[in-house]
Amino acid sequence: MAANDEPSVSIGDVHGSTFAIGSHARAESHTNSAPQSDEAMRELLEAVRALRADLPRLRDDDGQLSTLDAELAETEGEITRTGRAPATRIERLRALLGDSQAVVSLLASAGTVAAMLGNMR
């Protein structure tokens, strides 16, 4: 087979990727950098954690607080893993806080999270 008749492989952009080729190949990737986060996300993470800590103080008669807590947990995990919460998650959390407003307005931590979400666009 001539050199120009050999098949070609295109992997695309592999910047920041780790890969191995071959039957016994092994690839490892070690990064020492933590997820990047800006100050607003760090503050939101603290506020989300405070609200989650306060929620058990309230009675959850209709399950709204359980739903809110689950979304707060997802938000906390997302910010911890990636340093950011995507706009769609922020919108869902904002809506849940609005739905639970009568109950969570009793908590200062809910007001903090709601205020911070209102400032994020």
Side-chain angles (χ1 to χ4, degrees), residues 41-94:
M41 283 294 145
R42 282 191 291 277
E43 289 176 5
L44 178 59
L45 179 59
E46 288 177 27
V48 164
R49 287 176 173 161
L51 178 53
R52 287 195 69 213
D54 285 344
L55 284 179
R57 299 177 187 171
L58 302 172
R59 244 177 49 201
D60 189 12
D61 293 333
D62 59 4
Q64 281 185 329
L65 296 182
S66 296
T67 302
L68 177 58
D69 184 54
E71 190 64 33
L72 288 167
E74 289 292 324
T75 303
E76 181 179 353
E78 186 87 31
I79 296 171
T80 301
R81 281 187 314 278
T82 68
R84 304 221 39 89
T88 53
R89 184 166 307 284
I90 288 173
E91 287 301 319
R92 274 195 311 271
L93 191 53
R94 186 179 290 130

